[in-house]
Amino acid sequence: GRKLRRSRSDAASAGVEEASTAFESVELTRTACLGTCPNYSVTVLNDGSVSFEGRSGVEAPGLSRAQLSASRLRKLSSAVLASRHLFEAPENIECHILSLDAPETTIRVVVGGQEHELSADFSCSGSAVDQFHSLAETIDRIAVTHRWIGGARN
């Protein structure tokens, strides 16, 4: 099957001071399916600003913005920190294309100037799959994406 993708930027992390959060940015992207799956991306910056881009299957298409409270930002920072091992060992998730109708979820985190990216769909298996999907749900919940997606998804 196909392996999970992981990439790092070429930016040197030496001398980069960590912000008060565990990340510079966190981006969650969910792709469309043949049905009515929400197709969107949400990005949270370490200042708590949230950008939501609804592409299809959402109540708020286009760009929407919000601001996280300090409490929500701390919760997201803790979740990213607790999930760092996922990005360090992508071999713990292996994906097999079982269906063309499997929306893909991608999480991209920038930490210390380095970009880490993981993608999976529901054909994936391995010891880290549940943790990956749990992190994606946590990002959705903390960023309150249901206000733009609508329905009973979150």
Side-chain angles (χ1 to χ4, degrees):
R2 67 183 169 93
K3 284 286 187 186
L4 209 60
R5 295 187 305 269
R6 177 174 72 166
S7 62
R8 296 181 188 269
S9 72
D10 293 333
S13 61
V16 174
E17 212 172 290
E18 287 276 331
S20 58
T21 58
F23 61 86
E24 283 125 64
S25 66
V26 174
E27 179 182 3
L28 169 67
T29 301
R30 296 186 188 270
T31 62
C33 63
L34 297 178
T36 58
C37 301
N39 179 358
Y40 66 92
S41 63
V42 61
T43 303
V44 180
L45 301 182
N46 63 1
D47 65 358
S49 60
V50 179
S51 300
F52 176 89
E53 183 186 351
R55 290 183 280 280
S56 63
V58 298
E59 283 186 6
L63 190 61
S64 299
R65 296 188 186 280
Q67 182 70 35
L68 290 186
S69 66
S71 170
R72 284 184 176 273
L73 188 58
R74 279 192 302 276
K75 287 178 183 173
L76 182 57
S77 183
S78 295
V80 168
L81 200 57
S83 302
R84 239 184 207 171
H85 64 282
L86 294 175
F87 298 93
E88 293 165 358
E91 63 276 5
N92 290 334
I93 300 177
E94 188 165 330
C95 303
H96 311 275
I97 300 296
L98 299 178
S99 166
L100 295 176
D101 190 24
E104 187 173 66
T105 299
T106 301
I107 301 172
R108 184 176 298 110
V109 179
V110 178
V111 178
Q114 293 191 336
E115 181 179 283
H116 307 272
E117 181 180 294
L118 292 174
S119 295
D121 59 37
F122 289 101
S123 75
C124 301
S125 60
S127 61
V129 172
D130 289 344
Q131 293 170 318
F132 172 83
H133 288 297
S134 176
L135 177 59
E137 290 299 324
T138 297
I139 295 167
D140 268 333
R141 187 177 66 255
I142 291 173
V144 199
T145 57
H146 69 84
R147 63 182 140 188
W148 299 302
I149 296 168
R153 189 175 194 299
N154 293 33

